[in-house]
Amino acid sequence: MTFAGIPLWLLGCAALVPAAVFAFIHPREDASGARAWLLRWAHPLGWVLLSTACFAGILVSGTAAYYTALAGLASFLGFFGALSTGERKQVPPPV
């Protein structure tokens, strides 16, 4: 199976690369509770879910891949929502 002419197994492997990178690189913000968890783990989780959706499309069914990809989208939306609700630090104007 392919997506946009690219084999799904290749897309699944490619999605694991940013998942591994973002497991170690994450925003350094003061946060607590659910916001801290979302900032730390939602982005790599989204990539893992997209990779899983690619492999599910090959091995299981298109329906399983669809819902797994939707879960990945929800994870990304949670991450970007938590990232955008942070407090902005005031930067002094240039002198």
Side-chain angles (χ1 to χ4, degrees):
M1 299 192 76
T2 64
F3 178 76
I6 302 171
L8 284 179
W9 67 268
L10 186 61
L11 289 173
C13 291
L16 289 175
V17 173
V21 169
F22 290 121
F24 297 102
I25 299 173
H26 52 89
R28 303 269 186 222
E29 289 195 21
D30 294 331
S32 61
R35 184 170 181 270
W37 188 91
L38 285 170
L39 286 173
R40 178 65 183 100
W41 294 110
H43 199 216
L45 177 63
W47 284 108
V48 168
L49 286 170
L50 286 181
S51 176
T52 304
C54 290
F55 294 124
I58 297 169
L59 301 173
V60 183
S61 70
T63 303
Y66 174 76
Y67 288 112
T68 307
L70 280 181
L73 174 64
S75 180
F76 282 125
L77 290 176
F79 170 76
F80 290 121
L83 190 64
S84 67
T85 58
E87 294 180 14
R88 301 283 182 227
K89 294 180 180 173
Q90 294 293 338
V91 178
V95 179

